[in-house]
C-alpha cells in the first residue's frame, strides 16, 4: 500500500470538500428551502408549492423559458459547428501554439466587456450602422432591432464570439492526441472529402475529449446573466436575468418564486445536458449506419468554407468590439452618423479616475489573491496525485467540473445567506471565496494536462539522484512547468476579473470591481465612462496573458525546450 | 454682549436634542457610511464623492457609495441579512430611497428611526403633516427617511429636430402618429417607466382623487380604463411597435442623443442642461412638461434597522439638508437638483446664495415647470406595473 | 557487498504475476543483463529496484543493496542510479547544473562543487560546456552527460533500461564503451535491461532471461 502523500491528499481533499463543495451545497439548500415556501424572515414557514405556482404565473415566464432554451442551446450548437468546421478547414495550417496565441484575446476578454463593446458595434446607432450610413443615406439610426432583439439573436452572437474561440482551443488541444494528418490523408485516399473525414473519423475520436467543455459552454449559455442583460431581450428577458430581477424586486415576496426559478434553472441545465447526451447516442446510431453506407459526400467543402467565413467574421466583430471600447472611452462628442468621434478627450478617464482606480485596485487584489490560492491548491492536488503515483478518479474529475455546470443564480443567493450567518458577507473574504469556486476549476483544468504530460522518467531520474519529493517539486516540476503554471494563472486572472454575480452578491455591492461597475454603467447613459471601465476590464487579463507569455520567454531565453519555440 | 452670546450658546448646547446630537457626532467620528445609491448617473456619483470629502473634513465621516443598478437590490440585501439573523452590523448604512421601496421596508420593519426631527438642519424643512417632505407616495414618512433632492417629471426633446411637442398626455397619441417610432418610455418595471404611466393616469383618470387612497379592484378598473385605451392607441406608433423598451431613462437619453427617438424623460429637470455640458446631448436639447403640470416627489435617504454606522448615516443625512449643501447641489455645474428646503425658513445670506446660481438655456426655471402633481398611493404603482407586465410582456 | 534480489515477484494492477520469482545477486563491478520478451516486465523490474513503481503494482520479496533492505524505502534514499532510453536531462538547467543536481552534499563549497562537475564534463568530452543549454547537446553528448550526472550522485548500484536503443548505430559502440568503463571504474553492481544481444556481449557479464510464469 502506497501511503506517500496521504496527508497532502487529505488536506487538499478537505479544502476542496469544505471550501468549495460545501458552500455550493449550502447555497442550494437555502435556495431550495425558499423555493418550497420556507423563508422565516418574511414570516413564511410552511412547506408549499406556492412559489412554483407563482413562478409560472409571473408575466412572461413562458417566453423567458423559451428564450433561455433557444439562446442557450442555439449558441452552443452553432459554436460547436463553427469551431469544428473552422478546425477542419484550417487545422493543417496552424500549430496548436499559434492557434492558442491567436485566440488568447478572445479568451481573455471578460464576457461583460465584450457584450458592452458588441452593443457599441451592433446597435442601430453602432459602428456597423455608422459605416453603412453614408451609402444607405441614414441620417438617424435605422429602426432595426439589432441588439436586445426579441429573438435573442444578438445574445447568441455575443455568446458565440466568446465560445467559438474557447471550443476551438479545446478541440485543437484534443487534436494533438490524435494523428490527424494521417487519418485525413488515409480518409481522402479512400475518396472521402475533407469535411466527411472530419465528421466520420476525427470528431468521433475528439468528442469524448471535448464533451465536458461543451457541457460547460452549454451550462454557461443557459444561465448567463451579465451578457444577457446587455445584449438580450428585456421584455421579457431570459430566465436567468428574470430570476436576478425577481431576487431584486421591490416586493420582497418575489424572493420565493425567484428561488423556485433558480432551482428550475438547474433542471434546465440538466435537461440541456440530457439533450446533448441523447443527441450523442442518436448520432452514434445514425453515424454508424451512415459510415457503413460508405457515402463519399464530396459536397461538404462549401460548408467548411461557410463555417470559416462566419468564424472569421465573428472574430472580426469581436475585435471591433474591443477596439470600440477604447475609442468610446476617448471620445467626447460622437453623434450618430459620424464614423469617428467629433471630438476626443481624456476627460472620461480623468473625471472617473477615483472610481476606476478603486475598482481597478479591488479587481487586481481579488484576481491575484483568488488566483494564487487556486493555483496553490491545484498544485497541491496534482502533487498529491504524483506522490500517490496514481491518476485521478472519475468522481474527482466530476467534482472539479461541478461548479462550472451548475447555474450561478442557483446557489449564490442562498450562499449569501449562509455567508451572512457566519458573518463574512460583504467583505473581501466572502468575494474571494465565492470567486475561487469558479477560478479553481478553470485553473485545475488548465494545469492538469501539462502537469501529467511531464515525463515521469524525468522525475524518476531526479529521485534516483537523491532528490526527495519537495526538491523534485520545487527544483524540477515547478521550473519546467513554469509556462503552463503562468498560463493557468492568467486564465485564473481572466476568470476572476470576469466574475459578476458572485462579486455582486457576496460583496453586498460594496466591493466594486471593474466588472460590476461596467455592468452597472452599461445601464447608464454615458458610453464613454462605460468604455473606460470595459477597456480596463479587457486590458487586465490581456496583461496577465502577456506576462504568462513573456516571463517564461525571458527566464528560459537560453532554454530551447522551454522558451516557447516548442510548446510543452 | 460677548458673554451673552456665550451664555446663549451654552444654553442651546444644554438642550437635550443638541446634546444628543453631540453624542451622535462623537459616535460618528471615524465611521465609514456605506451609502447604497443608484449609480447610473455619473454627476450624482461625483456629488456623493464631494459630500464624502466634506463630511470627512468636517465630521470625520467617510462615505463609500455602493452603486446600485436598482434600488430594490438594497432592500433585498437587508431582507437576506434579516433572514440570516444579522440584526446588527448590517452591510448597508444608508439607502437613496422612495416610493414602493420605502413602503416595503417600512412595512417589514426594516428601517431605523424615526430620526429626522433629531437632525439639527431639519429646522429648514417644511415638516407639516401634508408637506412634500412628510409624505412619500402618500405614505407618511413619520421621520423614517430624510429628504435630500427634489424630483420633478419632465420630458426632453431636441429642438433642432422636432418643432412641436405634445402639450398634454392625451396629445401623445396624435404626436406619435405624426412621428412613428419617435417615442418610447423605459420599461415600467423601472421607476421612470412607471412614473410615465402614472403621469398619464393622473391626467386621464375620471377622478384623480381616488389615486391618493390605497387601490381596490373596483376603483382600479374604472380609473385605469381610459389609460389603457390611450395606451393601446399610442403603442402601435411607438419605437419598435411598442414591443421593446429601454431599460431606464439613461439609455433612453442616449437614444435621444443618437437620434433613435425624439423624446426622453427624466425626474431631474436639470439633467438636460447637465447632459449638454457633458457632451451627452446636443446643444439644442430642451425640456418640456405637460400643461397641467407633472408629478413631483422628493428623494429621501433612509437607514436600515441593522445599519452598522447609523450615527454616521445621520450625520450625512443632516449634512445633505444644510443650506450650503442644497445650494451647491442646485448649481447646474454640480447637479442642478432643486432644493428640498422651505425658502421661508432660510435666512437672507442663504437665499442670496441660491439666487446667485448660474443659469442655462436648457435649464427650466421653477415657474416654467408648472404645477406639481401628487404621486399616487404606492399601491397604485405596484398594481399598474404588474398589470402592464401582464398585458405587454408576452 | 552486492545487489541481491531474493524471491522477487511483481504483480500488475490486475493482479497478474509478471514473471517467475526471481533470485539474483549482482556482485560489485559486475554488469548483469536481463533479457526477455516484450511485456514480461523488464522495465517494471528496474522500477521495483529503483523505487519508481506506479500505483497498483505489487512487489514482494527482498531487495538488498550492500546488505541494506531497500524495497520499502523511497527512491531518493536508495542510492540507486538509473539510466533510461532517453537522457532525461532537466530542460530548465544548464549542462553543468544538470550534473551538479545529484552531487552529494558532502562535496562542499561553491568552487569545489563546480570543479567536480567541470572534471566530470571533461571526462564526458564536454569541457567548457557548463553553461550551455542542455537542449543544445547532440544525442551522444546527452547520453554521456546523463551518465556523468548519475555517477556524480555516487550511487551504490546502477540500473540501465535499454540505454543505447535510441542512439544511432554509429554512436552506440562508443557510448557503450564509455558507459561500461565508467561503471567498471566505480566498482558498483549494475543491472541492464536490453533487447540488443550486442549490449550483453560487450559486458561479458552474466545474462539472464525473464520468462512468463508457467501458469498463474
Amino acid at each position: 500500500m502506497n501511503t506517500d502523500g496521504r496527508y497532502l491528499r487529505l488536506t487538499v481533499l478537505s479544502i476542496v470538500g469544505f471550501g468549495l463543495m460545501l458552500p455550493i451545497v449550502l447555497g442550494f439548500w437555502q435556495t431550495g428551502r425558499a423555493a418550497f415556501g420556507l423563508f422565516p424572515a418574511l414570516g413564511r414557514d410552511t412547506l408549499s408549492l406556492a412559489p412554483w405556482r407563482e413562478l409560472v404565473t409571473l408575466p412572461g415566464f413562458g417566453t423567458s423559458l423559451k428564450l433561455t432554451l433557444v439562446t442557450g442551446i442555439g449558441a452552443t450548437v452553432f459554436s460547436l459547428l463553427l469551431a469544428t468546421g473552422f478546425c477542419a478547414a484550417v487545422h493543417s495550417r496552424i500549430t496548436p501554439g499559434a492557434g492558442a496565441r491567436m485566440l488568447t484575446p478572445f479568451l481573455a476578454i471578460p464576457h461583460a466587456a465584450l457584450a458592452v463593446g458588441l452593443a457599441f458595434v451592433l446597435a442601430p446607432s453602432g459602428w456597423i450602422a455608422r459605416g453603412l450610413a453614408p451609402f444607405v443615406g441614414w441620417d438617424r439610426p435605422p429602426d432595426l432591432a439589432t441588439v436586445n432583439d426579441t429573438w435573442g439573436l444578438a445574445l447568441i452572437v455575443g455568446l458565440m464570439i466568446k465560445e467559438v474561440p474557447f471550443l476551438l482551443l479545446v478541440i485543437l488541444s484534443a487534436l494533438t492526441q490524435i494523428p490527424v494528418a494521417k487519418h485525413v490523408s488515409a480518409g481522402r485516399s479512400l475518396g472521402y472529402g475533407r469535411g466527411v473525414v472530419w465528421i466520420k473519423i476525427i470528431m468521433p475520436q475528439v468528442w469524448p475529449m471535448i464533451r465536458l467543455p461543451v457541457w460547460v459552454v452549454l451550462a454557461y449559455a443557459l444561465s448567463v446573466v451579465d451578457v444577457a442583460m446587455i445584449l438580450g431581450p428585456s421584455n421579457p428577458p431570459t430566465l436567468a436575468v428574470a430570476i436576478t430581477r425577481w431576487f431584486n424586486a421591490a416586493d420582497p415576496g418575489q424572493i420565493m418564486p425567484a428561488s423556485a426559478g433558480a432551482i428550475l434553472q438547474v433542471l434546465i441545465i440538466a435537461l440541456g445536458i440530457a439533450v446533448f447526451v441523447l443527441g450523442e447516442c442518436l448520432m452514434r446510431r445514425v453515424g454508424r449506419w451512415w459510415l457503413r453506407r460508405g457515402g463519399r459526400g464530396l459536397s461538404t467543402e462549401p460548408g467548411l468554407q461557410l463555417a470559416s467565413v462566419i468564424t472569421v467574421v465573428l472574430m472580426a466583430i469581436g475585435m471591433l468590439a474591443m477596439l470600440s471600447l477604447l475609442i468610446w472611452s476617448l471620445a467626447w462628442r460622437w453623434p450618430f452618423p459620424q464614423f469617428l468621434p467629433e471630438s476626443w478627450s481624456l476627460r472620461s478617464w480623468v473625471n472617473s479616475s477615483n472610481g476606476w482606480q478603486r475598482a481597478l485596485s479591488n479587481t487586481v487584489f481579488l484576481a491575484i489573491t483568488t488566483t494564487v490560492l487556486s493555483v496553490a491548491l491545484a498544485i497541491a492536488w496534482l502533487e498529491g496525485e504524483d506522490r500517490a503515483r496514481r491518476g485521478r478518479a472519475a468522481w474527482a474529475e466530476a467534482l472539479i467540473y461541478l461548479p462550472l455546470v451548475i447555474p450561478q443564480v442557483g446557489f449564490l443567493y442562498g450562499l449569501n445567506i449562509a455567508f451572512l450567518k457566519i458573518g463574512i458577507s460583504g467583505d473581501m473574504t466572502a468575494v474571494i471565496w465565492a470567486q475561487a469556486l469558479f477560478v479553481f476549476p478553470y485553473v485545475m483544468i488548465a494545469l492538469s494536462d501539462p502537469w501529467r504530460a511531464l515525463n515521469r522518467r524525468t522525475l524518476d531520474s531526479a529521485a534516483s539522484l537523491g532528490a526527495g519529493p519537495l526538491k523534485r517539486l520545487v527544483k524540477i516540476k515547478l521550473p519546467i512547468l513554469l509556462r503552463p503554471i503562468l498560463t493557468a494563472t492568467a486564465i485564473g486572472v481572466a476568470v476572476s476579473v470576469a466574475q459578476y454575480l458572485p462579486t455582486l452578491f457576496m460583496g453586498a455591492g460594496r466591493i466594486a470591481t471593474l466588472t460590476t461597475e461596467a455592468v452597472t454603467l452599461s445601464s447608464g447613459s454615458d458610453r464613454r465612462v462605460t468604455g473606460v471601465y470595459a477597456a480596463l476590464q479587457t486590458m487586465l487579463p490581456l496583461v496577465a496573458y502577456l506576462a504568462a507569455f513573456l516571463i517564461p520567454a525571458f527566464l528560459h531565453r537560453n532554454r530551447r525546450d522551454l522558451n516557447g519555440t516548442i510548446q510543452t | 454682549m460677548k458673554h451673552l452670546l456665550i451664555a446663549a450658546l451654552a444654553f442651546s448646547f444644554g438642550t437635550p436634542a443638541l446634546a444628543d446630537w453631540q453624542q451622535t457626532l462623537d459616535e460618528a467620528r471615524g465611521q465609514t457610511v456605506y451609502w447604497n445609491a443608484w449609480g447610473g448617473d455619473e454627476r450624482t456619483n461625483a456629488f456623493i464623492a464631494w459630500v464624502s470629502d466634506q463630511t470627512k473634513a468636517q465630521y470625520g465621516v467617510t462615505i463609500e457609495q455602493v452603486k446600485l443598478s436598482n434600488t430594490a437590490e438594497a432592500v433585498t440585501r437587508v431582507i437576506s441579512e434579516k433572514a440570516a439573523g444579522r440584526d446588527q452590523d448590517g452591510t448597508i448604512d444608508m439607502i437613496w430611497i422612495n416610493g414602493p421601496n420605502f413602503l416595503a421596508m417600512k412595512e417589514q420593519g426594516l428601517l431605523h428611526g424615526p430620526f429626522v426631527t433629531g437632525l439639527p438642519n431639519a429646522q429648514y424643512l417644511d415638516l407639516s403633516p401634508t408637506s412634500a417632505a412628510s409624505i412619500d407616495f402618500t405614505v407618511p414618512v413619520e421621520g423614517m427617511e430624510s429628504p435630500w433632492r427634489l424630483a420633478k417629471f419632465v420630458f426632453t426633446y431636441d429642438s433642432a429636430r422636432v418643432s412641436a411637442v405634445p402639450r398634454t398626455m392625451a396629445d401623445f397619441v396624435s404626436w406619435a402618429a405624426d412621428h412613428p417610432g419617435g417615442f418610447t418610455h423605459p420599461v415600467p418595471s423601472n421607476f421612470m417607466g412607471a412614473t410615465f404611466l402614472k403621469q398619464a393616469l393622473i391626467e386621464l383618470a375620471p377622478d384623480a382623487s381616488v389615486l391618493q387612497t390605497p387601490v381596490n379592484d373596483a376603483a382600479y378598473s374604472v380609473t385605469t380604463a381610459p389609460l389603457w385605451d390611450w395606451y393601446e392607441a399610442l403603442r402601435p406608433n411607438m419605437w419598435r411597435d411598442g414591443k421593446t423598451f429601454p431599460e431606464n431613462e439613461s439609455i433612453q437619453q442616449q437614444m435621444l442623443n443618437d437620434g433613435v427617438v425624439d423624446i426622453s424623460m427624466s425626474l431631474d429637470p436639470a439633467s438636460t442642461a447637465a447632459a449638454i455640458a457633458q457632451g451627452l446631448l446636443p446643444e439644442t436639447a430642451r425640456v418640456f412638461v405637460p400643461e397641467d403640470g407633472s408629478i413631483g416627489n422628493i428623494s429621501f435617504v433612509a437607514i436600515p434597522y441593522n445599519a452598522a454606522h447609523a450615527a454616521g448615516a445621520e450625520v450625512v443625512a443632516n449634512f445633505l439638508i444644510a443650506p450650503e449643501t442644497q445650494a451647491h447641489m442646485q448649481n447646474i455645474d454640480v447637479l442642478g437638483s432643486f432644493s428640498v428646503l422651505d425658502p421661508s425658513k432660510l435666512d437672507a445670506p442663504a437665499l442670496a446664495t441660491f439666487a446667485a446660481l448660474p443659469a442655462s438655456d436648457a435649464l427650466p426655471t421653477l415657474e416654467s415647470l408648472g404645477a406639481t402633481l401628487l404621486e399616487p398611493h404606492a399601491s397604485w404603482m405596484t398594481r399598474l406595473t404588474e398589470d402592464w407586465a401582464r398585458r405587454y410582456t408576452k | 557487498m552486492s545487489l541481491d534480489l531474493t524471491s522477487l515477484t511483481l504483480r500488475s494492477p490486475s493482479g497478474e504475476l509478471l514473471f517467475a520469482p526471481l533470485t539474483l545477486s549482482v556482485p560489485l563491478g559486475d554488469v548483469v543483463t536481463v533479457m526477455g520478451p516484450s511485456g514480461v516486465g523488464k522495465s517494471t523490474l528496474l522500477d521495483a529496484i529503483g523505487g519508481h513503481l506506479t500505483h497498483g503494482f505489487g512487489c514482494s520479496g527482498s531487495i538488498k543493496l550492500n546488505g541494506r533492505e531497500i524495497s520499502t524505502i523511497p527512491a531518493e534514499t536508495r542510492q540507486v542510479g538509473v539510466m533510461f532510453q532517453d537522457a532525461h536531462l532537466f530542460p530548465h538547467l544548464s549542462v553543468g547544473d544538470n550534473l551538479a543536481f545529484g552531487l552529494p552534499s558532502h562535496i562542499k563549497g561553491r568552487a569545489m562543487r563546480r570543479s567536480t562537475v567541470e572534471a566530470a564534463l571533461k571526462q564526458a568530452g564536454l569541457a567548457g560546456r557548463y553553461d550551455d543549454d542542455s537542449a543544445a547537446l547532440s544525442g551522444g553528448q546527452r547520453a554521456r552527460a546523463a551518465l556523468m550526472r548519475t555517477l556524480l550522485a555516487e550511487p551504490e548500484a546502477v540500473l540501465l533500461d535499454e540505454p543505447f536503443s535510441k542512439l544511432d548505430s554509429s554512436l552506440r559502440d562508443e557510448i557503450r564503451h564509455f558507459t561500461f568503463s565508467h561503471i567498471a571504474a566505480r566498482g558498483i553492481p549494475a543491472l541492464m535491461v536490453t533487447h540488443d544481444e550486442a549490449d550483453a556481449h560487450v559486458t561479458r557479464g552474466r545474462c539472464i532471461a525473464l520468462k512468463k510464469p508457467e501458469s498463474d
Side-chain angles (χ1 to χ4, degrees):
Chain A
M1 183 57 214
N2 196 329
T3 58
D4 286 340
R6 175 178 281 181
Y7 291 109
L8 180 65
R9 272 158 57 227
L10 273 178
T11 314
V12 169
L13 199 64
S14 41
I15 293 177
V16 171
F18 289 102
L20 304 181
M21 296 305 136
L22 191 66
I24 294 175
V25 173
L26 280 179
F28 272 117
W29 172 247
Q30 288 287 354
T31 312
R33 279 167 54 92
F36 289 97
L38 296 175
F39 203 78
L42 289 175
R44 312 276 188 94
D45 44 16
T46 38
L47 205 63
S48 83
L49 286 174
W52 292 86
R53 280 194 293 271
E54 247 182 281
L55 173 70
V56 295
T57 54
L58 280 173
F61 169 77
T63 318
S64 288
L65 187 60
K66 205 169 69 198
L67 258 176
T68 296
L69 291 172
V70 170
T71 54
I73 295 181
T76 311
V77 170
F78 286 134
S79 301
L80 191 57
L81 286 178
L82 282 188
T84 312
F86 188 73
C87 254
V90 306
H91 177 262
S92 54
R93 276 172 275 157
I94 51 170
T95 66
R101 274 193 293 280
M102 195 181 75
L103 297 171
T104 297
F106 295 98
L107 298 172
I109 183 176
H111 282 85
L114 181 74
V116 168
L118 265 185
F120 289 168
V121 172
L122 294 179
S125 58
W127 238 358
I128 294 178
R130 286 164 193 260
L132 293 174
F135 309 106
V136 192
W138 286 327
D139 56 346
R140 45 194 292 178
D143 190 9
L144 296 170
T146 45
V147 289
N148 313 115
D149 58 293
T150 41
W151 299 288
L153 292 179
L155 173 56
I156 292 180
V157 169
L159 288 171
M160 281 171 67
I161 292 180
K162 273 297 284 183
E163 304 310 357
V164 170
F166 174 72
L167 290 176
L168 267 177
L169 195 71
V170 168
I171 295 176
L172 280 175
S173 88
L175 287 175
T176 57
Q177 301 179 37
I178 302 172
V180 182
K182 282 183 195 149
H183 285 178
V184 171
S185 43
R188 297 184 85 165
S189 71
L190 293 172
Y192 289 91
R194 211 154 46 129
V196 179
V197 174
W198 272 77
I199 299 170
K200 290 190 172 178
I201 300 175
I202 312 289
M203 280 320 277
Q205 301 180 65
V206 167
W207 179 253
M209 290 186 266
I210 65 167
R211 191 192 285 127
L212 268 174
V214 170
W215 289 357
V216 169
V217 168
L218 177 67
Y220 181 85
L222 284 170
S223 63
V224 61
V225 173
D226 46 8
V227 181
M229 270 167 73
I230 298 166
L231 293 177
S234 64
N235 189 43
T238 62
L239 194 62
V241 175
I243 293 168
T244 311
R245 279 198 198 157
W246 294 329
F247 269 128
N248 289 326
D251 171 13
Q254 296 217 347
I255 288 173
M256 323 281 288
S259 301
I263 299 296
L264 177 67
Q265 188 76 62
V266 181
L267 301 178
I268 289 174
I269 289 177
L271 181 83
I273 291 178
V275 167
F276 269 65
V277 171
L278 216 69
E280 187 185 330
C281 291
L282 205 71
M283 289 289 275
R284 211 176 282 151
R285 276 162 184 268
V286 176
R288 206 169 292 144
W289 166 81
W290 188 48
L291 256 168
R292 289 181 184 151
R293 249 182 82 235
R296 298 296 194 263
L298 286 162
S299 56
T300 54
E301 211 57 23
L304 293 189
Q305 305 269 331
L306 186 68
S308 312
V309 169
I310 297 179
T311 307
V312 169
V313 168
L314 279 180
M315 300 302 106
I317 294 177
M319 286 305 234
L320 272 185
M322 286 185 242
L323 189 63
S324 73
L325 295 176
L326 198 63
I327 295 199
W328 263 111
S329 77
L330 295 170
W332 185 244
R333 256 202 76 71
W334 193 2
F336 170 66
Q338 296 185 10
F339 191 70
L340 285 172
E342 189 175 286
S343 47
W344 301 80
S345 168
L346 278 173
R347 263 180 286 187
S348 302
W349 286 87
V350 175
N351 291 349
S352 62
S353 64
N354 276 335
W356 68 252
Q357 278 167 7
R358 205 163 55 99
L360 179 66
S361 66
N362 278 342
T363 310
V364 169
F365 175 78
L366 282 169
I368 291 178
T369 322
T370 314
T371 306
V372 166
L373 288 174
S374 299
V375 171
L377 185 60
I379 289 176
W381 176 316
L382 290 162
E383 177 65 12
E385 287 179 353
D386 275 5
R387 290 193 188 176
R389 293 180 163 270
R390 59 165 90 191
R392 190 173 303 158
W395 63 265
E397 190 77 25
L399 209 63
I400 295 170
Y401 271 92
L402 185 69
L404 306 185
V405 292
I406 51 174
Q408 296 192 341
V409 279
F411 68 98
L412 281 176
Y413 185 76
L415 180 59
N416 187 33
I417 293 183
F419 273 7
L420 277 163
K421 281 187 175 154
I422 58 172
I424 62 162
S425 183
D427 59 22
M428 280 286 184
T429 321
V431 179
I432 290 169
W433 196 341
Q435 286 198 352
L437 299 180
F438 307 100
V439 174
F440 173 71
Y442 280 107
V443 168
M444 192 69 200
I445 292 165
L447 200 50
S448 289
D449 282 342
W451 188 283
R452 277 183 234 156
L454 182 58
N455 197 318
R456 197 168 60 84
R457 288 307 189 196
T458 304
L459 300 172
D460 288 345
S461 298
S464 76
L465 295 170
L470 188 65
K471 188 173 177 187
R472 291 202 294 273
L473 175 67
V474 176
K475 296 264 172 133
I476 304 289
K477 288 185 213 174
L478 296 186
I480 293 181
L481 293 170
L482 180 68
R483 177 180 292 277
I485 289 171
L486 287 179
T487 304
T489 307
I491 290 171
V493 168
V495 173
S496 163
V497 169
Q499 293 303 312
Y500 173 64
L501 275 190
T503 316
L504 186 72
F505 276 37
M506 301 306 137
R510 278 184 182 193
I511 293 165
T513 64
L514 293 172
T515 299
T516 61
E517 298 292 276
V519 175
T520 304
L521 285 166
S522 73
S523 73
S525 63
D526 202 338
R527 287 189 184 128
R528 302 163 307 184
V529 180
T530 313
V532 169
Y533 281 87
L536 279 169
Q537 201 198 355
T538 307
M539 270 181 244
L540 212 51
L542 280 179
V543 168
Y545 274 98
L546 197 65
F549 177 74
L550 291 180
I551 293 175
F554 174 76
L555 288 179
H556 291 154
R557 62 191 175 283
N558 295 327
R559 298 287 174 259
R560 205 179 63 201
D561 287 351
L562 297 176
N563 63 13
T565 40
I566 301 164
Q567 202 78 14
T568 36
Chain B
M1 183 63 201
K2 204 173 175 184
H3 289 286
L4 207 66
L5 195 67
I6 290 168
L9 274 175
F11 177 75
S12 63
F13 273 112
T15 61
L18 287 182
D20 285 355
W21 184 246
Q22 188 55 47
Q23 202 183 332
T24 306
L25 285 176
D26 293 342
E27 205 183 315
R29 187 159 293 279
Q31 286 186 344
T32 297
V33 171
Y34 289 90
W35 182 358
N36 284 239
W38 179 64
D41 178 31
E42 271 304 308
R43 282 181 315 141
T44 305
N45 298 344
F47 174 72
I48 291 175
W50 174 84
V51 173
S52 176
D53 291 342
Q54 300 300 312
T55 51
K56 196 173 179 179
Q58 294 177 32
Y59 308 105
V61 176
T62 314
I63 299 171
E64 286 282 352
Q65 185 192 356
V66 177
K67 292 180 188 142
L68 306 176
S69 44
N70 184 343
T71 301
E73 284 169 26
V75 182
T76 307
R77 212 164 284 140
V78 176
I79 290 169
S80 32
E81 290 184 0
K82 191 178 176 193
R86 188 152 164 185
D87 292 329
Q88 282 167 11
D89 234 16
T91 58
I92 298 177
D93 297 315
M94 195 160 94
I95 308 176
W96 172 6
I97 199 169
N98 63 0
N101 289 313
F102 172 66
L103 182 66
M105 290 193 80
K106 199 178 168 211
E107 279 180 343
Q108 299 282 342
L110 298 173
L111 291 175
H112 158 88
F115 68 94
V116 178
T117 45
L119 305 177
N121 288 333
Q123 59 175 306
Y124 303 116
L125 297 171
D126 176 5
L127 289 177
S128 59
T130 56
S131 74
S134 302
I135 297 174
D136 185 7
F137 285 63
T138 73
V139 179
V141 169
E142 290 165 348
M144 307 299 279
E145 55 177 1
S146 171
W148 73 288
R149 65 192 279 188
L150 198 65
K152 194 156 190 311
F153 186 68
V154 294
F155 293 102
T156 305
Y157 70 107
D158 184 352
S159 61
R161 234 173 29 225
V162 172
S163 44
V165 292
R167 284 179 305 115
T168 63
M169 294 309 287
D171 272 357
F172 269 89
V173 175
S174 57
W175 186 91
D178 294 340
H179 302 82
F183 179 73
T184 189
H185 59 82
V187 65
S189 61
N190 173 274
F191 193 76
M192 185 62 52
T195 306
F196 170 74
L197 291 182
K198 286 184 293 179
Q199 171 74 30
L201 180 63
I202 294 172
E203 186 181 306
L204 299 169
D207 172 14
S209 66
V210 296
L211 298 174
Q212 294 303 306
T213 54
V215 67
N216 62 60
D217 289 348
Y220 182 78
S221 55
V222 173
T223 311
T224 59
L227 173 75
W228 299 123
D229 291 344
W230 169 83
Y231 194 74
E232 283 296 333
L234 172 64
R235 199 167 84 104
N237 288 319
M238 278 167 44
W239 176 68
R240 299 261 166 88
D241 308 325
K243 287 185 180 132
T244 304
F245 302 87
E247 277 293 287
N248 57 43
E249 75 269 27
S250 300
I251 290 178
Q252 191 169 344
Q253 180 189 302
Q254 199 172 74
M255 291 164 69
L256 174 66
N257 189 33
D258 289 340
V260 176
V261 294
D262 293 321
I263 291 178
S264 74
M265 53 194 79
S266 169
L267 271 165
D268 177 0
S271 64
T272 303
I276 292 171
Q278 281 190 298
L280 291 172
L281 279 178
E283 298 283 345
T284 45
R286 292 293 179 271
V287 169
F288 73 95
V289 285
E291 280 174 356
D292 297 337
S294 69
I295 290 180
N297 65 43
I298 284 180
S299 288
F300 294 86
V301 288
I303 304 172
Y305 80 107
N306 63 348
H309 312 110
E314 286 189 15
V315 169
V316 174
N318 183 56
F319 178 80
L320 286 173
I321 48 174
E324 308 79 55
T325 312
Q326 289 284 314
H328 183 75
M329 189 176 78
Q330 192 172 322
N331 186 336
I332 181 61
D333 298 328
V334 179
L335 206 51
S337 282
F338 290 106
S339 156
V340 296
L341 305 180
D342 181 354
S344 67
K345 299 195 169 175
L346 295 177
D347 55 11
L351 286 172
T353 318
F354 277 100
L357 292 173
S360 154
D361 283 344
L363 181 67
T365 59
L366 205 49
E367 301 78 59
S368 69
L369 285 175
T372 298
L373 306 176
L374 285 178
E375 283 279 1
H377 186 268
S379 57
W380 282 88
M381 172 164 159
T382 312
R383 187 72 181 264
L384 202 58
T385 53
E386 280 173 9
D387 196 3
W388 184 91
R390 207 157 294 133
R391 285 165 186 261
Y392 303 110
T393 302
K394 293 273 159 54
Chain C
M1 299 298 269
S2 54
L3 174 66
D4 297 290
L5 313 180
T6 314
S7 314
L8 188 72
T9 56
L10 293 176
R11 283 175 189 279
S12 71
S14 58
E16 191 192 349
L17 198 61
L18 291 181
F19 45 79
L22 179 68
T23 300
L24 175 70
S25 179
V26 187
L28 296 185
D30 263 25
V31 180
V32 170
T33 306
V34 179
M35 301 193 69
S38 303
V40 75
K42 299 188 297 292
S43 294
T44 314
L45 172 65
L46 295 193
D47 279 346
I49 301 169
H52 310 298
L53 277 183
T54 44
H55 180 76
F57 277 95
C59 170
S60 64
S62 140
I63 306 170
K64 283 190 171 159
L65 182 55
N66 299 338
R68 179 169 62 105
E69 177 65 48
I70 60 168
S71 62
T72 51
I73 61 175
E76 61 270 18
T77 54
R78 292 189 184 192
Q79 290 186 280
V80 176
V82 192
M83 298 285 297
F84 298 108
Q85 285 178 8
D86 288 305
H88 292 293
L89 296 180
F90 306 129
H92 60 300
L93 299 179
S94 70
V95 176
D97 286 336
N98 256 287
L99 268 61
F101 186 86
L103 216 53
S105 50
H106 67 77
I107 301 176
K108 289 203 167 54
R110 200 176 229 216
M112 183 64 193
R113 289 177 75 88
R114 171 111 190 178
S115 65
T116 312
V117 172
E118 298 272 19
L121 283 173
K122 201 171 170 192
Q123 288 182 334
L126 293 167
R129 311 277 312 254
Y130 192 104
D131 292 314
D132 283 10
D133 181 5
S134 53
L137 299 185
S138 69
Q141 290 171 327
R142 291 173 70 82
R144 289 196 298 263
L147 182 72
M148 293 324 285
R149 180 177 71 175
T150 301
L151 295 179
L152 280 180
E154 300 180 358
E156 293 180 7
V158 175
L159 308 172
L160 304 137
D161 191 353
E162 303 194 37
F164 317 118
S165 60
K166 284 206 174 169
L167 295 171
D168 288 346
S169 50
S170 57
L171 268 174
R172 211 173 285 164
D173 271 341
E174 178 214 329
I175 303 295
R176 227 184 242 138
H177 283 289
F178 178 80
T179 304
F180 293 132
S181 62
H182 274 282
I183 291 174
R186 308 276 160 143
I188 50 176
L191 194 61
M192 172 169 68
V193 158
T194 183
H195 274 121
D196 190 344
E197 300 272 350
D199 289 346
H201 184 70
V202 171
T203 65
R204 278 174 300 238
R206 200 141 47 97
C207 182
I208 60 157
L210 279 188
K211 285 191 215 74
K212 290 254 179 212
E214 292 304 303
S215 64
D216 193 26

